[in-house]
Structures are given as C-alpha cells and as structure tokens.
C-alpha cells in the first residue's frame, strides 16, 4: 500500500464521516459545519488528483461563499433546532432503490471494466491557472459568457424574491 | 527537505506570533502619542515587556462559559478564527533565493502557481470563526456582531478580489513570487493606484479595523462577537485580529509596494526580509494612524460604500487595466 | 497512484448519502445542503476522470457546475426566506398548498 492510497483512505473516511454527520445532526449549524468540512476534504482530494485551480475554487466558492450563505439564512430564520427526522417513512423504498442501483453500477464497473488496472497516472498535464484560463476563454468562451447571464439573473431573482414592500 | 519546510513554518509562525505581541504594544504607544499621552512605560524599558505582562494576565484570568452557550462551538470558535490568520501568509515570499555555501533555498514557505487564489480561499473561510463565536455565545449582542461581521466580510471580499486582479494582470501570473519579481523596477502602486486604494480600504473592512469596526463596536454592541469570551479564548481572538493586520500588511506590500524588492537585494538576499519588514511596519503604522483619526462609519453607509462605491470602481479599474494592456500589447 | 475505482466508490457513497439526506430530512435547508453534497459527488467524479484521461475538459465542467450551483443556492435560499416570511416554517411537508 503506497502512501497515496493511505492518504486517500484517510480523506475518504473523513469525507464519508462528515457527510453522515451532516445527515444525523440535530442542529442545522452543525450540519453546515459538517458539510464545510466535507467540501474542504474533497478540495484536498482534488489536490491529490492534480487539480489545484479547481481545488481552491472549491474552497472559495463552496466553503467560503455558498455555505456562509446557508449559515447566514439559518441564523436569520432562527431555524437552528431541527425537528427529529421523520424517519424513513414512505421514501424507504426510494432510498433503497437508488442505493442499490448506484452500488450495482459501481460494482459492475469494478467487475466488467476494471480490475485494479484502471490506475490514475501521475499527472503530467498542466492544470495550472494559465492553461485553464486559455481553455476557458477559447474553447468554452460561449458557455463562460452564458454563466454570467445565469449569475445576473440569479442576482436579480434573489433581490426580487426577498424584497419587502415598503410600508 | 521536510526539515527545511518545518523550519520555515516555525519561522513564519513564530514571527507572526511575536509580531502580534509587539503590534499590540506599537498600537498602544502610537495611539498614546497621537492623543498626547505617554502610553505603557512601566514594564521594562519604554514598556518593552508590556506584551509579556499582558499575556501573563490573560493566562491567569478565569475562563467563563455562559450557561446556555453551545459549549463545544464556544470553545472551538476561537481556534477556527486563529488558524486561517496563521496560514494565509504561507504563499508570500520573504526574499530571493538564499545561498549559504552550496546549500540554497528559496526564502518563503511555498511558491504555488495559484497563490492569489489561495489567499482568497483562506480569507473566505476566516468568516466562520467570528460568526460561530457570535452565535454560540447565546447573547444577542454577540449574535448581532457575528452577523454584521459575516455580511461585511462577504461584501468587501468582492472588492478585495477585484483589487487583486490588477497586479495579477500586470504580472501575468497568480503566483506571489512572480508578482513580486515583476515589480523589480517599478512597484505596482504607481501603475495601479486605484487598485491600491481599493485594496487598502477593503482590507481594513475585511479585518474589522477602524473605521469599519462595526462588528465589535464597543458603544453599540458592547464589543460584538467576543463579549462573552475571557482569558485565553479572548486572547486568541485578539491574536487573530492582530495577525490579520500583519498579514494584510505583508500581502499588500508584496502586491503593491514591491515586497522584498529594494536596492542591493540581489547581492544580499537577507536584505529582502528587512525591506519586507519595513514596508509592513509602515503599513501597520498607517492602519493605527487611521484608527486614531477617523470615526466609525454607520452600518448602512458601510454596506453602501462597499457595494455602490468600491465594487463598481474596482470593476471599472479591472476593465480599464485590461483594455490598456491589450492596446499596448502587454 | 490511487486506483480510479476508489474515487468512483467514494463518489457513489457520497451521492447515496446525499439522496438519503434529501429523502429523510424534513427541513428544507438541510435537504438543500444534501443536494449540494450530490453536486459535490458528481464533481469529484468529473475531476477523477479528467485526471485519468489527462484532459482539462472535466475540470472546466466542474468550474461551470460550481457557478450554476452558486446561482441556484442564491435563488433557492431567497425562496426559502420568502416562504418563511409567509408561513413561518420551512418544513417541506407543509409546503403542499400548490397542489391542485
């Protein structure tokens, strides 16, 4: 077992642990913090995969902006204390179904396609900010411009939805 | 190899923590002189041992935890606040490559090609500690302070990020080392004065310093998010605030004032450390000077300044810089 | 290096946990966070395959997913604030007044 596999296993354990923690926590603030730890762990996994730009963008956007927004809304609405989860209820079969499908799919992939030969190779590609920027502004220029429209409409939408009429 | 990193990390953390101790002394002395007082002069010659006396006092103080506080979060919040402050300056170089005999090492902990992005990422995480401290105290003043801090830091982060873009475009790199090297002949403050002013203002708001110290306004919020903290836990918040001041000064000096660059720095690499220190010292002095001079801004005006003044100007600055760079074929 | 299948497995587990979260939690905000967890699992898979095929396209796709997720969260949380104002609760089981 190489040191990289060991690092991966530790990070994977943390990621799964924090995800489970988010699901079972009774307090929404703790749920947010578990999810933030999960995102940061996944960001470290991105570093392991040779994607420094995406890794830091993940921390900035997910952990730094999106989750702070969640924290802010939870504090604003005062909804920290959560009711006990309603249990599995009628969704039980849906959960088991999805779980079985995804696990069977992963298993099939393991059996049919890969013994352990599908190894990630040592990253030789240049995933630095310069090459990402070049690809973004040449090959993906149109989608990039479209995202600015999405962001603008989200901005306007959020303001319109939460605006209170002046008395 | 690993020893090199360990030693560099130790140097960084030790200089930040001792720097913190002496910035508190510097702030008290400078404020006293500006207000025509004498300032601390009892502990040691010219009050030089005052930070040590303060530290001993804080260690021996009683640690209070409010009854209805969320105990775990209350204890963890100060730690979450300090760690980002300590790690954010890891990407800033202290000097050119140092050569002793046949051993040579770059002066600086890490030279990564996404340095500026790293700084943005760590600053955006540092909101959590303050917010959680306010929330876990179960005190309305503390919660208000925490919420104000979150809103303020998120708002000013945008202007701060856009101010970074100016030097990044001029140097053509996200690595702080390359940005400092690009300023060998001309510091970027001369080419990017608007970005410099925006960085200075937004960074003051980002570290909650006067005149943007709304989250800890003594008169309205009885000190905001850290009302309920005492002893060592309070000391950690205090430490985070001053370390953030030092970090802002170091990063700002590297981006706009030329970092370690200065006369004769190529011949004597250790001079780089001195230049960076002097620039950061000057920066800290101006921050303290502003605290002694300007009154606190009202909260709605502060948000309006961030969103309606700084943000559009920063955006226009980025646009103009980009157009000029394309026109002169940079 | 780490076998690709490990990353696929981790991504699958995280995705299932996200699905479980959406289905069992009644608080709209926590359900929403589980949705983010699912996004995250998909992103992990994209980056793993980008690394496997030595191609930047996967990483850029993750970049776009992040932007869309940010926009989605802004609108979603604004909706929640609006719902909370009108009925003082964000329990998703009670939001059935739109049923015909």
């Amino acid at each position: 077992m190489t040191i990289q596999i060991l690092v991966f296993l530790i990070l994977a354990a943390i990621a799964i642990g924090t995800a489970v923690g988010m699901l079972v926590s009774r307090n929404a603030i703790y749920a947010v913090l578990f999810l933030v730890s999960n995102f940061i762990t996944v960001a470290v996994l991105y570093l392991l995969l040779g994607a420094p730009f995406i890794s830091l963008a993940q921390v900035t956007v997910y952990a730094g902006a999106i989750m702070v927004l969640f924290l802010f809304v939870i504090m604003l609405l005062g909804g920290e204390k959560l009711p006990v989860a309603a249990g599995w209820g009628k969704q039980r079969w849906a959960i088991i179904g999805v779980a079985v499908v995804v696990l069977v799919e992963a298993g099939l992939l393991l059996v049919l396609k890969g013994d352990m030969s599908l190894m990630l190779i040592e990253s030789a590609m240049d995933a630095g900010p310069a090459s990402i920027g070049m690809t973004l502004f040449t090959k993906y220029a149109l989608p990039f411009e479209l995202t600015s429209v999405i962001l603008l409409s989200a901005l306007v939408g959020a303001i319109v939805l939460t605006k209170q009429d002046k008395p | 190899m690993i020893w090199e990193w360990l030693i560099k990390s130790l140097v960084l953390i030790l200089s930040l923590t001792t720097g913190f101790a002496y910035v508190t002394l510097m702030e008290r002395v400078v404020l006293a002189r500006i207000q025509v007082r004498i300032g601390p002069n009892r502990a040691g010659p010219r009050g030089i041992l005052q930070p040590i006396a303060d530290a001993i006092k804080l260690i021996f103080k009683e640690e209070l935890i409010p009854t209805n506080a969320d105990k775990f979060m209350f204890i963890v919040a100060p730690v979450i606040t300090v760690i980002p402050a300590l790690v954010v300056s890891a990407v800033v170089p202290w000097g050119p490559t140092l050569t002793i005999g046949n051993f040579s090492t770059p002066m600086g902990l890490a030279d990564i090609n996404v340095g500026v992005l790293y700084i943005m990422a760590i600053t955006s995480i540092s909101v959590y500690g303050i917010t959680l401290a306010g929330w876990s105290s179960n005190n309305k003043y503390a919660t208000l302070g925490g919420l104000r801090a979150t809103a303020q830091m998120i708002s000013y982060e945008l202007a701060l990020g856009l101010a970074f873009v100016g030097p990044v475009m001029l140097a053509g790199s996200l690595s702080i080392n390359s940005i400092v090297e690009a300023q060998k002949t001309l510091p970027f403050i001369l080419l990017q004065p608007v970005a410099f002013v925006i960085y200075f203002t937004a960074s003051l708001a980002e570290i909650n310093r006067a005149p943007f110290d709304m989250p800890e306004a003594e008169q309205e919020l009885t000190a905001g998010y850290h009302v309920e903290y005492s002893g060592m836990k309070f000391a950690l918040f205090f430490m985070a605030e001053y370390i953030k001041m030092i970090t802002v000064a170091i990063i700002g000096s590297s981006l706009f004032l030329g970092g370690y660059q200065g006369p004769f720095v190529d011949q004597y690499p250790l001079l780089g450390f001195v230049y960076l220190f002097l620039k950061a010292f000057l920066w800290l002095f101006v921050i303290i000077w502003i605290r002694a001079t300007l009154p606190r801004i009202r909260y709605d005006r502060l948000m309006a300044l961030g969103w309606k003044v700084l943000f559009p100007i920063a955006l226009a600055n980025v646009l103009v810089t980009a157009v000029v760079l394309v026109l002169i074929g940079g | 290096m780490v076998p690709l299948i490990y990353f696929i497995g981790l991504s699958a587990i995280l995705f299932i946990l996200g699905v479980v979260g959406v289905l069992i939690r009644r608080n709209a905000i926590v359900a929403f966070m589980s949705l983010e967890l699912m996004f995250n699992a998909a992103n992990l898979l994209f980056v793993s395959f980008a690394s496997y095929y030595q191609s930047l396209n996967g990483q850029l796709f993750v970049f776009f997913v992040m932007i869309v997720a940010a926009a989605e969260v802004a609108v979603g949380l604004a909706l929640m604030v609006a719902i909370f104002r009108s009925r003082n609760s964000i329990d998703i089981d009670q939001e059935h007044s739109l049923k015909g």
Side-chain angles (χ1 to χ4, degrees):
Chain A
M1 182 178 284
T2 64
I3 188 127
Q4 272 156 332
I5 293 186
L6 196 66
V7 170
F8 171 82
L9 288 179
I10 293 170
L11 287 173
I14 298 174
I16 294 170
T18 48
V20 171
M22 185 201 82
L23 292 188
V24 299
S25 59
R26 288 270 172 274
N27 189 321
I29 302 266
Y30 277 85
V32 167
L33 289 180
F34 273 122
L35 197 54
V36 171
S37 332
N38 184 282
F39 285 157
I40 293 176
T41 318
V42 172
V44 179
L45 280 172
Y46 290 165
L47 279 184
L48 203 68
L49 286 167
F53 184 85
I54 293 297
S55 166
L56 288 174
Q58 159 107 351
V59 175
T60 317
V61 175
Y62 270 114
I66 294 183
M67 294 321 287
V68 173
L69 215 57
F70 271 105
L71 201 63
F72 204 73
V73 168
I74 290 171
M75 284 182 173
L76 214 60
L77 302 187
E80 297 103 319
K81 293 286 176 287
L82 300 173
V84 181
W88 299 62
K90 47 189 169 183
Q91 275 103 354
R92 178 186 298 150
W93 297 112
I95 297 168
I96 295 173
V98 173
V100 165
V101 167
V102 176
L103 282 181
V104 163
E105 204 173 343
L108 277 180
L109 204 70
L110 181 64
V111 173
L112 299 180
K113 196 97 189 214
D115 25 330
M116 287 298 166
S117 61
L118 277 174
M119 299 289 261
L120 291 172
I121 49 176
E122 199 73 56
S123 201
M125 96 182 134
D126 174 25
S131 52
I132 292 232
M134 283 311 285
T135 323
L136 196 59
F137 290 117
T138 51
K139 194 172 169 189
Y140 291 97
L142 183 65
F144 184 76
E145 296 297 331
L146 282 178
T147 55
S148 69
V149 179
I150 293 179
L151 283 176
L152 185 65
S153 52
L155 184 74
V156 175
I159 292 174
V160 169
L161 280 172
T162 50
K163 193 174 186 308
Q164 278 175 322
D165 296 325
K166 286 259 165 64
Chain B
M1 193 61 187
I2 194 146
W3 287 108
E4 207 179 309
W5 283 351
L6 268 180
I7 290 169
K8 281 180 184 172
S9 313
L10 264 182
V11 168
L12 182 70
I13 287 177
L14 284 181
S15 47
L16 280 178
T17 39
T18 47
F20 142 69
Y22 280 92
V23 171
T24 60
L25 179 66
M26 173 183 162
E27 170 156 40
R28 290 173 68 178
V29 171
V30 173
L31 277 183
R33 288 298 145 90
I34 288 176
Q35 296 161 354
V36 206
R37 292 185 286 119
I38 294 175
N41 65 347
R42 296 289 143 176
R46 302 179 71 89
I48 203 92
L49 297 177
Q50 185 68 36
I52 298 165
D54 284 342
I56 293 172
K57 184 195 83 176
L58 280 172
I59 289 170
F60 284 108
K61 270 200 161 181
E62 189 188 356
E63 302 265 347
L64 289 172
I65 297 183
T67 326
N68 284 326
D70 188 322
K71 288 212 174 52
F72 176 72
M73 209 50 89
F74 191 77
I75 296 169
V76 169
V79 183
I80 304 183
T81 317
V82 168
I83 290 175
L86 277 174
V87 298
V88 70
S89 47
V91 290
V92 179
W94 318 321
T97 307
L98 178 70
T99 311
I100 307 168
N102 52 10
F103 169 79
S104 84
T105 173
M107 276 171 59
L109 190 58
D111 176 22
I112 53 175
N113 59 4
V114 281
V116 175
L117 208 60
Y118 171 84
I119 293 174
M120 285 301 295
I122 304 288
T123 14
S124 62
I125 301 184
S126 65
V127 185
Y128 284 105
I130 290 175
T131 320
L132 290 173
W135 171 76
S136 65
S137 307
N138 196 27
N139 171 322
K140 60 184 154 202
Y141 294 115
T143 311
L144 271 178
L147 281 178
R148 278 184 174 185
T150 322
Q152 176 178 330
M153 288 164 94
I154 294 181
S155 310
Y156 277 83
E157 219 166 74
L158 295 170
L160 195 69
L162 286 173
F164 284 153
V165 176
V168 166
M169 280 198 294
L170 287 183
S173 167
L174 280 172
S175 147
I176 307 276
N177 277 49
S178 320
I179 292 177
V180 173
E181 271 157 31
Q183 302 177 63
K184 200 168 185 64
T185 47
L186 197 63
F188 284 162
I189 182 176
L190 299 173
L191 296 172
Q192 286 283 325
V194 182
F196 173 75
V197 172
I198 289 167
Y199 174 82
F200 193 85
T201 323
S203 65
L204 281 183
E206 193 71 24
I207 57 176
N208 302 331
R209 284 289 302 186
F212 305 113
D213 54 349
M214 287 312 296
E216 37 198 297
E218 289 92 348
Q219 291 89 341
E220 319 161 35
L221 289 175
T222 66
Y225 60 87
H226 55 59
V227 203
E228 301 284 2
Y229 281 89
S230 60
M232 267 326 273
K233 292 202 277 293
F234 172 74
L236 283 179
F237 279 118
F238 207 57
M239 183 167 153
E241 189 182 333
Y242 281 88
I243 289 180
K244 277 183 201 161
M245 265 171 77
I246 300 175
T247 314
V248 155
I250 293 177
I251 294 171
S253 314
S254 298
L255 287 181
F256 293 101
L257 302 182
Y260 60 76
Q261 301 282 9
F264 305 115
V265 82
D266 289 335
Q267 287 89 341
Y268 308 100
L270 280 176
L271 264 182
F273 205 85
V274 178
Y275 286 132
L276 189 61
F277 177 81
L278 286 177
K279 284 168 185 169
F281 184 83
L282 188 70
W283 194 295
L284 288 169
F285 178 77
V286 175
I287 290 182
I288 296 168
W289 185 8
I290 284 176
R291 177 181 168 185
T293 313
L294 292 178
R296 186 178 301 131
I297 296 180
R298 214 172 66 198
Y299 193 66
D300 56 334
R301 298 245 176 105
L302 180 144
M303 295 307 263
L305 176 73
W307 284 103
K308 295 182 189 161
V309 181
L310 286 184
F311 185 54
I313 293 179
L315 213 54
N317 180 55
V318 168
L319 196 69
V320 170
T321 313
V323 168
V324 170
L325 272 182
V326 169
L327 284 185
I328 64 172
Chain C
M1 281 301 280
V2 187
L4 181 62
I5 196 75
Y6 283 25
F7 281 97
I8 297 174
L10 175 63
S11 170
I13 293 173
L14 287 180
F15 191 85
I16 292 171
L17 286 173
V19 173
V20 171
V22 170
L23 291 175
I24 68 169
R25 295 308 293 257
R26 296 275 67 87
N27 183 301
I29 290 184
V30 181
F32 205 7
M33 290 198 295
S34 308
L35 216 64
E36 295 304 314
L37 189 63
M38 289 198 275
F39 269 123
N40 208 32
N43 283 352
L44 181 61
L45 209 56
F46 268 119
V47 177
S48 318
F49 276 99
S51 176
Y52 178 68
Y53 287 113
Q54 296 288 298
S55 143
L56 272 183
N57 295 339
Q59 293 192 19
L60 283 162
F61 209 90
V62 172
F63 185 75
F64 288 123
V65 170
M66 279 180 192
I67 298 175
V68 175
E72 171 235 345
V73 165
V75 176
L77 286 177
L79 273 175
M80 266 170 221
V81 172
I83 291 174
F84 186 82
R85 275 203 190 124
S86 68
R87 33 179 78 228
N88 220 11
S89 155
I90 43 170
D91 189 323
I92 27 183
D93 276 355
Q94 293 177 10
E95 310 307 331
H96 45 57
S97 56
L98 280 180
K99 270 186 192 166

